[in-house]
Amino acid sequence: MSKVEKFEDLKVWQDGIDLSIHVYQSLGTCRDFSLKDQMCRAAVSVPSNIAEGFERHSNKEFIRFLRIAKGSSGELRTQIYIAKGTGLITEEKGTELINKSRHLSAMIQNLIKTRETNF
């Protein structure tokens, strides 16, 4: 495992960016601007909070922002269920995004546990 020197080195941040991009691409033609905006904001919030917490250079602050990122992941997942249920995104795309969000949330939780026990 290579040393993490900047937030861009974090796999969890990279996966957060990937999820955000997938959300934007999935909603490209969505005409429900309110839900689209909410989903995009929640998706962007995940890697943004990981980055902000990392840049604080405080373990306590990093953990706090990781928890916020995890909350945003749950918020996004809820919105994906709504988008899928209302037909704004396909069942297949919705399931893919939900799985990515669950995986990302688990990664964030694991990082929180690691930071709580090792620092």
Side-chain angles (χ1 to χ4, degrees), residues 54-105:
F54 186 90
E55 288 291 313
R56 299 277 177 129
H57 298 288
S58 159
N59 191 54
K60 184 178 178 181
E61 283 286 286
F62 190 30
I63 291 169
R64 184 169 79 86
F65 278 88
L66 288 171
R67 287 187 177 123
I68 294 168
K70 190 172 184 317
S72 293
S73 180
E75 178 184 359
L76 174 61
R77 200 159 51 254
T78 298
Q79 294 160 351
I80 295 167
Y81 280 110
I82 294 167
K84 191 169 84 163
T86 58
L88 293 175
I89 57 175
T90 66
E91 184 79 22
E92 181 181 16
K93 180 50 77 174
T95 300
E96 175 190 350
L97 292 173
I98 287 167
N99 289 338
K100 284 180 180 288
S101 175
R102 280 189 182 135
H103 179 72
L104 185 57
S105 188

